CSV table of all heavy atoms in Angstrom, one decimal:
chain,number,residue,atom,x,y,z
D,1348,THR,N,80.5,114.8,174.1
D,1348,THR,CA,81.0,116.1,174.6
D,1348,THR,C,79.9,116.9,175.2
D,1348,THR,O,78.8,117.0,174.6
D,1348,THR,CB,81.6,116.9,173.4
D,1348,THR,OG1,82.5,116.0,172.7
D,1348,THR,CG2,82.4,118.1,173.9
D,1349,ARG,N,80.1,117.6,176.3
D,1349,ARG,CA,79.0,118.3,177.0
D,1349,ARG,C,78.7,119.6,176.3
D,1349,ARG,O,79.6,120.2,175.6
D,1349,ARG,CB,79.5,118.6,178.4
D,1349,ARG,CG,79.4,117.3,179.3
D,1349,ARG,CD,79.5,117.6,180.7
D,1349,ARG,NE,79.1,116.5,181.5
D,1349,ARG,CZ,79.7,115.3,181.6
D,1349,ARG,NH1,80.8,115.1,180.9
D,1349,ARG,NH2,79.2,114.4,182.3
D,1385,LEU,N,88.6,119.9,172.0
D,1385,LEU,CA,87.3,119.2,171.9
D,1385,LEU,C,87.6,117.7,172.0
D,1385,LEU,O,86.7,116.9,172.4
D,1385,LEU,CB,86.5,119.5,170.7
D,1385,LEU,CG,85.6,120.8,170.8
D,1385,LEU,CD1,84.8,120.9,169.5
D,1385,LEU,CD2,84.7,120.7,172.0
D,1387,TYR,N,88.7,113.8,170.3
D,1387,TYR,CA,88.2,113.0,169.2
D,1387,TYR,C,88.4,113.7,167.9
D,1387,TYR,O,87.4,114.1,167.2
D,1387,TYR,CB,86.8,112.6,169.4
D,1387,TYR,CG,86.6,111.5,170.5
D,1387,TYR,CD1,85.4,111.5,171.2
D,1387,TYR,CD2,87.5,110.6,170.8
D,1387,TYR,CE1,85.2,110.5,172.2
D,1387,TYR,CE2,87.4,109.6,171.7
D,1387,TYR,CZ,86.2,109.6,172.5
D,1387,TYR,OH,86.0,108.7,173.4
D,1388,TYR,N,89.7,114.0,167.5
D,1388,TYR,CA,89.9,114.9,166.4
D,1388,TYR,C,89.5,114.3,165.1
D,1388,TYR,O,89.4,115.1,164.1
D,1388,TYR,CB,91.4,115.3,166.4
D,1388,TYR,CG,91.7,116.1,167.7
D,1388,TYR,CD1,92.2,115.6,168.8
D,1388,TYR,CD2,91.4,117.5,167.7
D,1388,TYR,CE1,92.4,116.3,170.0
D,1388,TYR,CE2,91.6,118.2,168.9
D,1388,TYR,CZ,92.1,117.6,170.0
D,1388,TYR,OH,92.3,118.4,171.1
D,1560,LEU,N,96.2,110.2,169.5
D,1560,LEU,CA,96.4,111.4,168.7
D,1560,LEU,C,96.9,111.0,167.3
D,1560,LEU,O,97.7,111.7,166.8
D,1560,LEU,CB,97.4,112.3,169.4
D,1560,LEU,CG,97.0,112.8,170.8
D,1560,LEU,CD1,98.1,113.6,171.5
D,1560,LEU,CD2,95.7,113.7,170.7
D,1594,HIS,N,98.0,113.9,182.2
D,1594,HIS,CA,97.0,114.1,181.2
D,1594,HIS,C,96.4,112.7,180.9
D,1594,HIS,O,97.1,111.7,180.9
D,1594,HIS,CB,97.7,114.6,179.9
D,1594,HIS,CG,96.7,115.0,178.9
D,1594,HIS,ND1,95.8,116.1,178.9
D,1594,HIS,CD2,96.4,114.4,177.7
D,1594,HIS,CE1,95.1,116.1,177.9
D,1594,HIS,NE2,95.4,115.1,177.1
D,1596,ILE,N,94.2,110.4,178.3
D,1596,ILE,CA,93.6,110.2,176.9
D,1596,ILE,C,92.9,108.8,177.0
D,1596,ILE,O,93.6,107.8,177.1
D,1596,ILE,CB,94.7,110.3,175.8
D,1596,ILE,CG1,95.3,111.7,175.8
D,1596,ILE,CG2,94.0,109.9,174.5
D,1596,ILE,CD1,96.3,111.8,174.7
D,1597,THR,N,91.6,108.9,176.8
D,1597,THR,CA,90.7,107.7,177.0
D,1597,THR,C,91.1,107.0,178.3
D,1597,THR,O,91.1,107.6,179.4
D,1597,THR,CB,90.7,106.7,175.8
D,1597,THR,OG1,92.0,106.2,175.6
D,1597,THR,CG2,90.3,107.4,174.6
D,1640,SER,N,95.5,119.0,173.7
D,1640,SER,CA,95.6,119.6,175.0
D,1640,SER,C,96.9,119.2,175.7
D,1640,SER,O,97.4,119.9,176.5
D,1640,SER,CB,94.4,119.3,175.8
D,1640,SER,OG,93.3,119.9,175.3
N,380,DA,P,75.3,91.8,168.6
N,380,DA,OP1,74.6,91.0,169.6
N,380,DA,OP2,75.0,93.2,168.5
N,380,DA,O5',76.9,91.8,169.0
N,380,DA,C5',77.4,90.6,169.5
N,380,DA,C4',78.8,90.8,170.1
N,380,DA,O4',79.7,91.4,169.1
N,380,DA,C3',78.9,91.8,171.3
N,380,DA,O3',79.8,91.3,172.2
N,380,DA,C2',79.3,93.1,170.6
N,380,DA,C1',80.2,92.6,169.5
N,380,DA,N9,80.2,93.5,168.3
N,380,DA,C8,79.2,94.1,167.7
N,380,DA,N7,79.5,94.8,166.6
N,380,DA,C5,80.8,94.5,166.5
N,380,DA,C6,81.8,94.9,165.5
N,380,DA,N6,81.5,95.7,164.5
N,380,DA,N1,83.1,94.5,165.7
N,380,DA,C2,83.3,93.7,166.7
N,380,DA,N3,82.5,93.2,167.7
N,380,DA,C4,81.3,93.7,167.5
N,381,DA,P,80.1,92.1,173.6
N,381,DA,OP1,80.2,91.1,174.6
N,381,DA,OP2,79.1,93.2,173.7
N,381,DA,O5',81.5,92.7,173.3
N,381,DA,C5',82.5,91.8,172.7
N,381,DA,C4',83.8,92.6,172.4
N,381,DA,O4',83.6,93.4,171.2
N,381,DA,C3',84.1,93.6,173.5
N,381,DA,O3',85.5,93.6,173.7
N,381,DA,C2',83.6,95.0,172.9
N,381,DA,C1',83.9,94.8,171.5
N,381,DA,N9,83.1,95.6,170.5
N,381,DA,C8,81.8,95.9,170.7
N,381,DA,N7,81.4,96.7,169.7
N,381,DA,C5,82.5,96.8,168.8
N,381,DA,C6,82.7,97.4,167.6
N,381,DA,N6,81.8,98.1,167.0
N,381,DA,N1,83.9,97.4,167.1
N,381,DA,C2,84.9,96.7,167.7
N,381,DA,N3,84.8,96.0,168.8
N,381,DA,C4,83.6,96.1,169.4
N,382,DG,P,86.1,94.4,174.9
N,382,DG,OP1,86.8,93.4,175.8
N,382,DG,OP2,85.1,95.3,175.5
N,382,DG,O5',87.2,95.3,174.2
N,382,DG,C5',88.0,94.8,173.2
N,382,DG,C4',88.6,95.9,172.4
N,382,DG,O4',87.7,96.5,171.5
N,382,DG,C3',89.1,97.0,173.3
N,382,DG,O3',90.4,97.4,172.9
N,382,DG,C2',88.1,98.1,173.1
N,382,DG,C1',87.7,97.9,171.6
N,382,DG,N9,86.4,98.4,171.3
N,382,DG,C8,85.3,98.3,172.0
N,382,DG,N7,84.2,98.8,171.5
N,382,DG,C5,84.7,99.3,170.3
N,382,DG,C6,84.1,100.0,169.3
N,382,DG,O6,82.9,100.4,169.2
N,382,DG,N1,84.9,100.4,168.2
N,382,DG,C2,86.3,100.1,168.2
N,382,DG,N2,86.9,100.5,167.1
N,382,DG,N3,86.9,99.4,169.2
N,382,DG,C4,86.1,99.1,170.2
N,383,DC,P,91.2,98.5,173.8
N,383,DC,OP1,92.6,98.0,173.9
N,383,DC,OP2,90.4,98.8,175.0
N,383,DC,O5',91.2,99.7,172.8
N,383,DC,C5',91.6,99.5,171.4
N,383,DC,C4',91.3,100.8,170.7
N,383,DC,O4',89.9,100.9,170.4
N,383,DC,C3',91.6,102.0,171.4
N,383,DC,O3',92.6,102.8,170.7
N,383,DC,C2',90.4,102.8,171.6
N,383,DC,C1',89.5,102.2,170.5
N,383,DC,N1,88.0,102.2,170.9
N,383,DC,C2,87.1,102.9,170.1
N,383,DC,O2,87.5,103.4,169.0
N,383,DC,N3,85.8,102.9,170.4
N,383,DC,C4,85.4,102.4,171.6
N,383,DC,N4,84.2,102.5,171.9
N,383,DC,C5,86.4,101.8,172.5
N,383,DC,C6,87.6,101.7,172.1
N,384,DC,P,93.3,103.9,171.5
N,384,DC,OP1,94.7,104.0,171.0
N,384,DC,OP2,93.1,103.8,173.0
N,384,DC,O5',92.5,105.2,171.1
N,384,DC,C5',92.7,105.7,169.7
N,384,DC,C4',91.7,106.7,169.4
N,384,DC,O4',90.4,106.2,169.7
N,384,DC,C3',91.9,108.0,170.2
N,384,DC,O3',91.8,109.1,169.4
N,384,DC,C2',90.6,108.0,171.1
N,384,DC,C1',89.6,107.2,170.3
N,384,DC,N1,88.6,106.6,171.1
N,384,DC,C2,87.2,106.8,170.7
N,384,DC,O2,87.0,107.4,169.7
N,384,DC,N3,86.3,106.3,171.5
N,384,DC,C4,86.6,105.6,172.6
N,384,DC,N4,85.6,105.1,173.3
N,384,DC,C5,87.9,105.4,173.0
N,384,DC,C6,88.9,105.9,172.2
N,385,DG,P,92.5,110.5,170.0
N,385,DG,OP1,92.2,111.7,169.2
N,385,DG,OP2,93.9,110.1,170.3
N,385,DG,O5',91.6,110.5,171.4
N,385,DG,C5',92.1,111.2,172.5
N,385,DG,C4',91.8,112.7,172.4
N,385,DG,O4',90.4,112.9,172.6
N,385,DG,C3',92.5,113.4,173.5
N,385,DG,O3',92.5,114.8,173.1
N,385,DG,C2',91.5,113.2,174.7
N,385,DG,C1',90.1,113.3,173.9
N,385,DG,N9,89.1,112.4,174.4
N,385,DG,C8,89.2,111.1,174.9
N,385,DG,N7,88.1,110.5,175.2
N,385,DG,C5,87.1,111.5,174.9
N,385,DG,C6,85.7,111.5,175.0
N,385,DG,O6,85.0,110.6,175.4
N,385,DG,N1,85.1,112.7,174.6
N,385,DG,C2,85.9,113.8,174.1
N,385,DG,N2,85.1,114.8,173.8
N,385,DG,N3,87.2,113.8,174.0
N,385,DG,C4,87.7,112.6,174.4
N,386,DG,P,93.4,115.8,173.9
N,386,DG,OP1,93.8,116.9,173.0
N,386,DG,OP2,94.4,115.0,174.7
N,386,DG,O5',92.3,116.4,174.9
N,386,DG,C5',91.2,117.1,174.4
N,386,DG,C4',90.2,117.3,175.4
N,386,DG,O4',89.5,116.0,175.7
N,386,DG,C3',90.7,117.8,176.8
N,386,DG,O3',90.4,119.1,176.8
N,386,DG,C2',89.9,117.0,177.8
N,386,DG,C1',88.9,116.2,176.9
N,386,DG,N9,88.5,114.8,177.4
N,386,DG,C8,89.4,113.8,177.7
N,386,DG,N7,88.7,112.7,178.1
N,386,DG,C5,87.4,113.1,178.1
N,386,DG,C6,86.2,112.3,178.4
N,386,DG,O6,86.2,111.2,178.8
N,386,DG,N1,85.1,113.1,178.2
N,386,DG,C2,85.0,114.4,177.7
N,386,DG,N2,83.9,114.9,177.6
N,386,DG,N3,86.1,115.1,177.4
N,386,DG,C4,87.3,114.4,177.6
N,387,DG,P,90.9,120.0,178.0
N,387,DG,OP1,91.2,121.4,177.5
N,387,DG,OP2,91.9,119.3,178.8
N,387,DG,O5',89.5,120.2,178.9
N,387,DG,C5',88.3,120.5,178.2
N,387,DG,C4',87.2,120.3,179.1
N,387,DG,O4',87.0,118.9,179.2
N,387,DG,C3',87.3,120.8,180.5
N,387,DG,O3',86.1,121.4,180.9
N,387,DG,C2',87.6,119.5,181.4
N,387,DG,C1',86.8,118.5,180.6
N,387,DG,N9,87.1,117.2,180.8
N,387,DG,C8,88.4,116.6,180.9
N,387,DG,N7,88.4,115.3,181.1
N,387,DG,C5,87.0,115.0,181.2
N,387,DG,C6,86.4,113.7,181.4
N,387,DG,O6,87.0,112.6,181.6
N,387,DG,N1,85.0,113.8,181.3
N,387,DG,C2,84.3,115.0,181.1
N,387,DG,N2,83.0,114.9,181.1
N,387,DG,N3,84.9,116.2,180.9
N,387,DG,C4,86.3,116.1,181.0
N,388,DG,P,86.1,122.4,182.2
N,388,DG,OP1,86.2,123.8,181.6
N,388,DG,OP2,87.1,121.9,183.2
N,388,DG,O5',84.6,122.2,182.7
N,388,DG,C5',83.6,121.6,181.9
N,388,DG,C4',82.7,120.8,182.7
N,388,DG,O4',83.2,119.4,182.8
N,388,DG,C3',82.6,121.2,184.2
N,388,DG,O3',81.2,121.2,184.5
N,388,DG,C2',83.4,120.2,185.0
N,388,DG,C1',83.2,118.9,184.1
N,388,DG,N9,84.4,118.0,184.2
N,388,DG,C8,85.7,118.3,184.1
N,388,DG,N7,86.5,117.2,184.2
N,388,DG,C5,85.6,116.2,184.4
N,388,DG,C6,85.8,114.8,184.6
N,388,DG,O6,86.9,114.2,184.6
N,388,DG,N1,84.7,114.1,184.7
N,388,DG,C2,83.4,114.6,184.7
N,388,DG,N2,82.4,113.8,184.8
N,388,DG,N3,83.1,115.9,184.5
N,388,DG,C4,84.3,116.6,184.4
N,390,DC,P,77.5,118.2,190.5
N,390,DC,OP1,76.1,118.2,190.2
N,390,DC,OP2,78.2,119.4,191.1
N,390,DC,O5',77.8,117.0,191.6
N,390,DC,C5',77.6,115.6,191.1
N,390,DC,C4',78.5,114.7,191.9
N,390,DC,O4',79.8,114.8,191.4
N,390,DC,C3',78.6,115.0,193.4
N,390,DC,O3',77.9,113.9,194.1
N,390,DC,C2',80.1,115.0,193.7
N,390,DC,C1',80.7,114.5,192.4
N,390,DC,N1,82.0,115.1,192.1
N,390,DC,C2,83.1,114.4,191.8
N,390,DC,O2,83.0,113.1,191.8
N,390,DC,N3,84.3,115.0,191.6
N,390,DC,C4,84.4,116.3,191.6
N,390,DC,N4,85.6,116.9,191.3
N,390,DC,C5,83.3,117.1,191.9
N,390,DC,C6,82.1,116.5,192.2
Side-chain angles (χ1 to χ4, degrees):
Chain D
T1348 311
R1349 288 192 160 68
L1385 280 182
Y1387 288 150
Y1388 295 96
L1560 298 173
H1594 188 73
I1596 295 181
T1597 64
S1640 292

